[in-house]
Amino acid sequence: MNTLSDLESFPVPTLINFLPMETGAHRCDLSIVPAAFLTLTLSFACSALGQVATPPVPDWAQPGSATHKQVPPPADFHRPTTTFNAPVGIFDGQSDVGSPIVPGSASYDSAKNAYTIHSAGYNIWYTRDEFRFLWKKLSGDVSLAAEATFPGLNGYNDRKVVLILRQSLDDDSKEAMLGEHGTGMIHLAQRTEKGAMITDMQYRFGGGLSGVLAKRIGIEKHGDSVAIFASLQGEAMHQFGPPIQIHFEEPFYVGIGFCSHLPATVDTGVFSNVVLENAAEKVQ
């Protein structure tokens, strides 16, 4: 395929969204581009401005819409995780689990006791994950709690903040997590073995109305039992639903994370007043 006339007979697949990229007063805006034109137009347009183009997004990773359904990734699809071992706040390191095609970032404001996480990522679901993860390696029991918010008003409904335990930093690791969506839904989810499909128990507040967010969320590991906790309006933290049973070899990873649910678009989650105890029955 060497000419535009060759492209005219090429079947055009699903449209792909890209982030606008800017250099000074110039703008390389590839908001909606047919995938068949990527080779010719994407590289030329951005290389002219000395920029690195956002890689194409697989169709399965596109978020759900009126005309598209997100599906599990191919069984053999993985990306190695990118890890940064520099401590951030109480956490020993941070990783872009599954290396989303747009890198994430994170910071800690000690004055506000708040962690701000910026991340793209198609999902934390199915058989593999993509998200920015701030972690600590621990053994034994764990209690973790935080207040979580979404500063951006226009994020995708299924973006989620997570309190999570993972066996490893691999994108398909065994894990247990409390996920809170942009709509306010909370779930206790688990990937029972490496590479397995995630299953969950879901809790919706206010009939699933958008914007009904818990005041504070927490997760507890007590032996092989993992349970989630919440305070909806500032009342004492209380357990939500029954625990799950999942065994982690020691040490394992525990921490906080965020995923925009948009494979090439960065969004933001903020965790305030994070409390992490290496003991059970300390969620507060």
Side-chain angles (χ1 to χ4, degrees):
M1 183 183 300
N2 298 312
T3 68
L4 287 176
S5 60
D6 291 329
L7 284 171
E8 290 175 357
S9 61
F10 190 84
V12 178
T14 303
L15 297 182
I16 297 178
N17 292 318
F18 293 87
L19 284 177
M21 292 172 284
E22 300 183 2
T23 299
H26 301 285
R27 182 176 178 87
C28 177
D29 190 348
L30 307 175
S31 57
I32 301 289
V33 180
F37 284 83
L38 293 177
T39 302
L40 294 178
T41 58
L42 181 59
S43 58
F44 288 137
C46 287
S47 63
L49 299 177
Q51 303 191 34
V52 177
T54 303
V57 177
D59 184 65
W60 55 261
Q62 296 285 10
S65 70
T67 59
H68 180 78
K69 180 179 179 181
Q70 189 179 83
V71 297
D76 59 350
F77 186 94
H78 296 284
R79 289 196 193 103
T81 291
T82 304
T83 293
F84 312 89
N85 288 312
V88 52
I90 63 173
F91 298 104
D92 297 332
Q94 53 185 300
S95 301
D96 275 341
V97 173
S99 293
I101 61 175
V102 180
S105 63
S107 61
Y108 174 62
D109 184 333
S110 58
K112 296 180 179 179
N113 190 17
Y115 297 84
T116 299
I117 301 179
H118 307 287
S119 182
Y122 90 105
N123 212 339
I124 308 174
W125 204 248
Y126 302 121
T127 55
R128 64 175 296 273
D129 307 323
E130 291 180 10
F131 70 109
R132 175 57 67 113
F133 179 35
L134 278 56
W135 51 262
K136 194 174 187 69
K137 292 184 77 170
L138 293 175
S139 298
D141 294 339
V142 170
S143 297
L144 173 63
E147 297 159 22
T149 57
F150 304 93
L153 300 179
N154 298 316
Y156 192 77
N157 281 346
D158 274 338
R159 59 184 169 168
K160 50 183 168 278
V161 291
V162 296
L163 307 182
I164 192 166
L165 298 96
R166 306 185 100 243
Q167 188 62 70
S168 75
L169 297 176
D170 295 340
D171 64 353
D172 61 349
S173 173
K174 174 190 286 191
E175 67 188 13
M177 72 170 177
L178 185 165
E180 181 175 1
H181 292 236
T183 57
M185 184 186 78
I186 286 178
H187 58 200
L188 171 59
Q190 62 176 327
R191 181 178 291 123
T192 55
E193 297 294 340
K194 181 179 173 65
M197 185 71 73
I198 277 188
T199 59
D200 74 329
M201 293 182 283
Q202 301 179 1
Y203 305 94
R204 289 177 168 84
F205 308 126
L209 293 175
S210 177
V212 182
L213 302 177
K215 175 70 174 176
R216 191 167 176 82
I217 53 177
I219 192 169
E220 176 190 272
K221 175 186 178 295
H222 192 175
D224 289 344
S225 179
V226 176
I228 62 172
F229 293 74
S231 169
L232 300 186
Q233 298 178 330
E235 74 280 8
M237 295 281 281
H238 50 284
Q239 184 172 325
F240 257 69
I244 58 174
Q245 300 299 312
I246 183 169
H247 177 72
F248 291 100
E249 299 295 330
E250 298 179 338
F252 50 86
Y253 293 83
V254 58
I256 59 177
F258 173 74
C259 169
S260 72
H261 203 85
L262 298 169
T265 302
V266 173
D267 197 356
T268 303
V270 176
F271 298 78
S272 303
N273 301 316
V274 176
V275 175
L276 174 58
E277 298 280 354
N278 202 174
E281 302 180 0
K282 297 292 185 180
V283 173
Q284 55 182 301

